[in-house]
Amino acid sequence: MTGSADFTGSPSVARADRGSPALAAENRWLRDQLVRRHLLDLAAGVLAAQLRLPPAEAAEHLSALAQATGLSTEDLAADIVNAAAGDGPAVTVPPESDGPAHEDGPVEERRARRTAAAAETADTVGEAARTLLEEGLAPLGADSLWLWQCVDRGCLRLAGSAGAGASEAAAWQWIPPAAPEAFRAVLAENTPLWLEEGPPAGEPLPGPAARAARALLPLRRRDRTVGLALVGWPGPTTLDATARRAVTGLVGVAGTVLDAGGSPPAAVPVLVDVLDSLARPAMLLAVPDTAGEPIVEHLNEEGAGALGGTASGSDTALARAFPLVHADLARMARRATGTARTQRAARLPLSAAPGDPPPLLDVRVLPAGGKHAVVMWHTVGATGLAAARAVARLQNTAPFQDSLTDGGTVWSPEAYGIFGMAPDEPPVPLAELRDRVRPDDREALADLVAAVTERQTGGQTVLRIVLPDGTVRHVRVAAEPLIAEGTVTGLAGVYQDVSDSRRTEAALTATFDHLTALHGQAELRHQLALQLQQAIVPEVPGLQEMPGDLVVAARYRPAAEEYRVGGDWYDVLALPDGRILLAVGDIAGHGIDAVTGMVALRNAQRALAFTGHSPRRLTGWLNEVTLRTGGGVTATAVCALYDPEDRGLLWTSAGHLPMVLLRDGRARLLEPPRDLLLGAVPSYAYHEQRIGLRPGDTLLLYTDGLIERRHDGLDEGVARLAAEAERLAGHAPDTLVDALLATAAGDTDDDTSIVAVRVRGRPPAR
């Protein structure tokens, strides 16, 4: 047969083909009971906490309240859960703007609250998106919902969607910080963007058509933006104030869902689209190691109908979908992924009892790469392997069917557009596309035809199709054999125009190569800076003996990976007059500039120390050097001179953290003078203090990377350090600094320097 055909199929035939009504009803009932039980348990828990009741009495109280108010238990539970979530968004459905008050207003508001509660209690972000779309946004005319989550470095990751095909979801899986403009505007201003006639020309956004209405809304949680939502309509739509308030209220619930985390969508979008085009039941399984239970990642509509669910990636255990034959299916799936070969079973009985659901017939488990497998089956009364359902809702996708018995070919109307042919032209069988593909792709076409007709395994490939006008289009072809009594009678499959994704892939590849080169250059700069840092401020691996009965241990830890090096320095230097310079400092910033500034200040301090002047004068001169270094450099520092004659320590601080003195097993903070940091103002006069050290004393000098935390003050960090140092007071200096670094409380990804100086010997003569 030639010509075009309608692939949609009648609803009555589709319902008849699904089969297994008892299994479908049981699965549907179980799923509804789980959702209801989850909501009632949450409400009972709220009442138990508020009224201080035992759980059983709280559940009884919930039932009594429902009877007293005349509401259903589910409606009342939704009200209680939403009321308890005081930081969550208010979900309301405003009354009509014209005419008398709508009698169903409270009912509609309660339905919206119930929808919000169901979304918040969903197991995954994808399930929450489907609940919000089907129960709340669809009555407003919307047909799709996308939820992106804010992740590191300003990127958005698609956490869940509803009403969108898997291929389109994969194309919008990641949104970089640079594009598109509409996303950046919503995130920057934290206000919704209503595009009633689609986005501006040249700015693509997810949706069925360029002029289809869209709404972009920021998702907020606890005064911070956690993501972004996009609501889509099938065409241009007027969104009045009532509709906008309703959309904002419903979508706001997604902020709570995203804040709880979510998993990304399935990682095999093209395979998902192919399964959705099949008229026979099919599912995608994630197959773990031998000890784990396979998980159903996706069900096509026929498979979902057979099991009483919806076509979605619900992450359901295989044992829940097929309680009686899951062990057989799991064994076949592991064998398929382990051997990379299709596994077949003519019949898997669900039960031997009369009147029970019919068995699974012609079961096939196909390896799908990695730890994934596809399961396809028939039930009694199914129509076979024909993939004749229209999937026009998938962009640039068209099913086809070839008969090998009468030579007939059937194309869906979309196929003619993909091949650039007029609708009145005869369709071309798959095996005869040889003259329409690039010469380099003809072998791939032949392999696909052989896989379907000879090996009876099916397959997919991407072909470069040459259109009549000479342009080249990338078309993905997926085909399956039609088998009757062990003989291939034809084939069915899907054509999908993937030209745009191929061009996008090429552009992304070029961008990735460019970013890789930039990353390599940055890595080289970081390595050079790190080598410079280590050359100027080397670690003291053990104990360093100094004149005047001093032993010293010093450590430096670079910053986080993206910074690598910073501006910390330390110095312990014996001077010609017998005194010893002890110093530590920290320049603001990271990278090459911070390292070069650190080198300048450390060397300047060393040179100035040879003048023999006091720490107060040395710090004042170092302040002038900082002001003239350029680039607005600022730094904090401690400069101390130790005199071995009387064990006196004369010191000053330029805005640095207090030193810690360990004496007789106790920690004491040496509070510094309240002087300005280096590079703040010129001609500043610093103050100095003196303390006498004793044999056995240990002095700790450090930078803020050791103790600074994002949500705590510096005082708390210093107190924690003093307490930890006191606990480790009996250790040698090198062991002490290593232990303090290992238990460091700092979490700001800053670099860290720490120096421990211990006085040895007998007390000085009186």
Side-chain angles (χ1 to χ4, degrees), residues 108 145 157 195 233 390 398 413 435-436 499 517 587 623 688 711:
E108 291 300 314
L145 174 61
R157 176 182 62 78
L195 304 170
W233 282 262
D435 294 336
R436 294 176 178 266
S499 302
I587 287 183
N623 178 55
E688 61 188 9
H711 305 297

Side-chain angles (χ1 to χ4, degrees), residues 3-4 7 167 269-271 273-278 387-404 408-421 425-437 441 444-446 448-449 452 459-467 473-480 490-499 501:
S4 62
F7 281 74
S167 294
V270 174
L271 181 57
D273 286 346
V274 172
L275 296 184
D276 285 343
S277 72
L278 299 179
R389 293 176 56 246
V391 286
R393 56 187 170 82
L394 297 174
Q395 188 176 11
N396 299 327
T397 304
F400 69 92
Q401 184 167 312
D402 293 347
S403 173
L404 300 182
T409 294
V410 179
W411 276 5
S412 70
E414 293 79 15
Y416 292 90
I418 290 178
F419 286 89
M421 296 170 56
E425 295 185 66
V428 182
L430 178 65
E432 298 178 15
L433 288 178
R434 175 181 174 84
D435 294 336
R436 294 176 178 266
V437 303
D441 293 346
L445 173 61
L448 176 60
V449 173
V452 177
Q460 63 172 316
T461 187
V462 176
L463 304 174
R464 288 170 293 176
I465 303 296
V466 181
L467 272 59
R473 182 169 288 169
H474 289 80
V475 177
R476 186 184 303 278
V477 186
E480 283 289 325
L491 57 94
V494 176
Y495 294 124
Q496 183 181 29
D497 183 359
V498 294
S499 302
S501 62

Side-chain angles (χ1 to χ4, degrees), residues 23 86 738:
L23 180 61
D738 288 336

Side-chain angles (χ1 to χ4, degrees), residues 44-360:
V46 172
L47 291 178
Q50 292 178 345
L51 305 179
R52 297 183 179 179
L53 296 174
E57 293 184 16
E60 293 176 359
H61 189 66
L62 177 64
S63 300
L65 284 176
Q67 293 177 359
T69 57
L71 299 176
S72 70
T73 310
E74 291 79 10
D75 284 343
L76 181 60
D79 288 344
I80 292 174
V81 171
N82 278 282
D87 58 345
V91 180
T92 61
V93 177
E96 299 291 334
S97 56
D98 299 324
H102 200 287
E103 292 182 356
D104 292 335
V107 176
E108 291 300 314
E109 291 180 3
R110 191 170 296 111
R111 180 184 60 80
R113 290 195 298 271
R114 188 168 62 246
T115 300
E120 288 182 330
T121 57
D123 291 334
T124 66
V125 178
E127 289 182 7
R130 286 187 294 277
T131 299
L132 291 173
L133 177 64
E134 295 169 3
E135 303 296 333
L137 296 172
L140 301 174
D143 66 351
S144 63
L145 174 61
W146 305 69
L147 301 176
W148 287 275
Q149 186 173 23
C150 294
V151 294
D152 293 339
R153 301 176 180 87
C155 290
L156 293 171
R157 176 182 62 78
L158 184 64
S161 63
S167 294
E168 189 178 14
W172 292 93
Q173 176 73 19
W174 289 97
I175 305 296
E181 175 63 30
F183 285 78
R184 297 202 306 272
V186 172
L187 291 176
E189 299 173 7
N190 275 320
T191 56
L193 178 62
W194 307 95
L195 304 170
E196 297 183 335
E197 295 186 358
E203 183 173 351
L205 288 178
R211 297 189 66 249
R214 298 165 175 85
L216 286 167
L217 303 97
L219 300 178
R220 304 277 294 172
R221 178 69 171 164
R222 297 189 180 94
D223 297 326
R224 67 185 180 92
T225 301
V226 297
L228 183 143
L230 185 148
V231 183
W233 282 262
T237 304
T238 299
L239 303 171
D240 58 14
T242 299
R244 293 184 179 187
R245 285 196 298 270
V247 170
T248 301
L250 285 166
V251 172
V253 177
T256 304
V257 178
L258 284 185
D259 195 40
S263 301
V268 281
V270 174
L271 181 57
V272 168
D273 286 346
V274 172
L275 296 184
D276 285 343
S277 72
L278 299 179
R280 70 181 295 181
M283 66 171 62
L284 177 65
L285 291 182
V287 186
D289 295 331
T290 309
E293 178 74 10
I295 299 298
V296 179
E297 284 193 347
H298 183 79
L299 274 170
N300 67 359
E301 289 188 6
E302 299 299 327
L307 300 180
T310 56
S312 63
S314 56
D315 289 343
T316 301
L318 183 62
R320 181 178 174 186
F322 289 98
L324 299 177
V325 296
H326 69 94
D328 296 316
L329 290 175
R331 184 165 52 252
M332 294 174 66
R334 293 193 182 96
R335 190 179 300 123
T337 56
T339 63
R341 301 186 64 179
T342 300
Q343 306 297 311
R344 292 184 176 89
R347 181 185 182 94
L348 287 180
L350 292 178
S351 174
D356 279 352
L360 306 185

Side-chain angles (χ1 to χ4, degrees), residues 648-737:
L649 184 76
L650 194 61
W651 63 285
T652 189
S653 173
H656 202 76
L657 297 169
M659 294 184 289
V660 177
L661 176 64
L662 293 175
R663 173 175 291 172
D664 298 329
R666 302 298 299 273
R668 168 189 170 191
L669 298 179
L670 301 183
E671 294 295 342
R674 298 185 178 275
D675 286 335
L676 297 179
L677 69 162
L678 302 174
V681 296
S683 304
Y684 185 80
Y686 288 88
H687 303 82
E688 61 188 9
Q689 298 182 4
R690 186 185 186 282
I691 184 174
L693 299 182
R694 304 174 186 173
D697 284 355
T698 300
L699 193 65
L700 294 178
L701 299 85
Y702 55 94
T703 57
D704 56 5
L706 186 69
I707 54 98
E708 190 174 21
R709 295 184 64 86
R710 291 184 177 89
H711 305 297
D712 291 341
L714 288 176
D715 290 343
E716 289 88 344
V718 171
R720 282 193 297 268
L721 173 64
E724 185 66 16
E726 186 172 291
R727 187 180 68 84
L728 301 168
H731 292 73
D734 53 346
T735 305
L736 175 64
V737 294

